[in-house]
Amino acid sequence: TQLLEQSPQFLSIQEGENLTVYCNSSSVFSSLQWYRQEPGEGPVLLVTVVTGGEVKKLKRLTFQFGDARKDSSLHITAAQPGDTGLYLCAGASGAGSYQLTFGKGTKLSVIP
Amino acid sequence: GAVVSQHPSRVICKSGTSVKIECRSLDFQATTMFWYRQFPKQSLMLMATSNEGSKATYEQGVEKDKFLINHASLTLSTLTVTSAHPEDSSFYICSAREDPFEYFGPGTRLTVT
């Protein structure tokens, strides 16, 4: 069974601060996706990373896929209250399997 | 991005009754859809993989006779919770795959009284 460990589990920061969320596994993933979920809603895809060492930027969000494709990080610069939500990483094992393995999520609160 | 809808968004039912939840891909066809359950403050747990035109594949520990899945067309999958009990109360989320991405529905909050 593939496991994804996400850290930290909870994060409360002031508006304007930077933060990094980590997603680690002992397994190799063919791709890794990051989602943001708000209460009572389904997850919304932020980005998919596929290549080891890949870095993708989405405005103030920077996503990195580890060289060995076992870990990933999400860095948010100058966090805003609108960034508040549950951030989930999910890995796909590939090899014909479409199933995603989800991390437990990071609950981010950005205080104005 | 692609849009996935779920209906209903919220449902309250009495213990022992059955509830059907629909998942639709609105602007694309999905041969594979997934059903997840999410308990409060927890992550998504995959329940089953729904394959159009064939039987669903259930994850270990998920009762296939209790959670009936039908994927009759390329844009619709349904999950029926049969003989619901209070412990089945949860947030049920479906997703549909449009390679290489997986798009999620908005979820259905089921409360069994």
Side-chain angles (χ1 to χ4, degrees):
Chain A
T1 303
Q2 295 179 307
L3 292 174
L4 271 171
E5 298 290 336
Q6 242 182 283
S7 62
Q9 194 174 353
F10 299 97
L11 191 55
S12 181
I13 62 172
Q14 293 291 131
E15 181 176 359
E17 292 183 349
N18 301 333
L19 66 114
T20 302
V21 177
Y22 299 93
C23 185
N24 297 296
S25 176
S26 58
S27 303
V28 176
F29 292 100
S30 61
S31 67
L32 198 138
Q33 304 187 16
W34 284 92
Y35 294 85
R36 192 176 95 182
Q37 184 181 23
E38 304 208 15
E41 298 181 11
V44 174
L45 179 66
L46 296 174
V47 78
T48 297
V49 285
V50 178
T51 306
E54 183 176 5
V55 176
K56 280 191 175 179
K57 289 194 174 187
L58 188 66
K59 296 184 180 178
R60 293 177 294 100
L61 278 59
T62 302
F63 304 86
Q64 186 164 6
F65 202 12
D67 291 340
R69 289 186 288 133
K70 293 183 179 180
D71 55 84
S72 181
S73 64
L74 157 61
H75 182 79
I76 300 179
T77 304
Q80 299 176 2
D83 297 327
T84 294
L86 178 68
Y87 289 83
L88 296 159
C89 66
S93 59
S97 171
Y98 290 150
Q99 294 179 358
L100 289 178
T101 300
F102 276 86
K104 290 190 175 182
T106 295
K107 181 73 171 67
L108 171 65
S109 297
V110 182
I111 303 166
Chain B
V3 178
V4 175
S5 70
Q6 271 183 252
H7 178 80
S9 58
R10 291 177 180 270
V11 58
I12 301 172
C13 70
K14 292 187 176 181
S15 187
T17 61
S18 295
V19 174
K20 180 186 283 188
I21 303 170
E22 292 184 350
C23 177
R24 294 181 185 272
S25 56
L26 297 186
D27 49 2
F28 66 101
Q29 295 182 328
T31 55
T32 305
M33 291 185 174
F34 302 91
W35 286 96
Y36 296 83
R37 183 166 52 186
Q38 185 177 32
F39 291 106
K41 299 182 180 179
Q42 294 187 22
S43 190
L44 282 71
M45 296 297 295
L46 180 66
M47 298 176 66
T49 302
S50 173
N51 303 297
E52 187 268 336
S54 64
K55 291 182 179 180
T57 305
Y58 290 83
E59 293 301 297
Q60 193 171 7
V62 178
E63 300 175 56
K64 62 180 181 180
D65 294 330
K66 180 170 182 61
F67 297 99
L68 301 179
I69 291 172
N70 185 283
H71 195 154
S73 78
L74 288 171
T75 58
L76 174 64
S77 175
T78 60
L79 168 68
T80 301
V81 183
T82 62
S83 187
H85 290 286
E87 56 266 32
D88 297 324
S89 298
S90 188
F91 193 50
Y92 291 86
I93 306 174
C94 73
S95 69
R97 184 167 183 85
E98 184 183 42
D99 279 336
F101 304 114
E102 188 170 329
Y103 297 98
F104 286 81
T108 297
R109 172 72 60 193
L110 170 64
T111 303
V112 185
T113 61

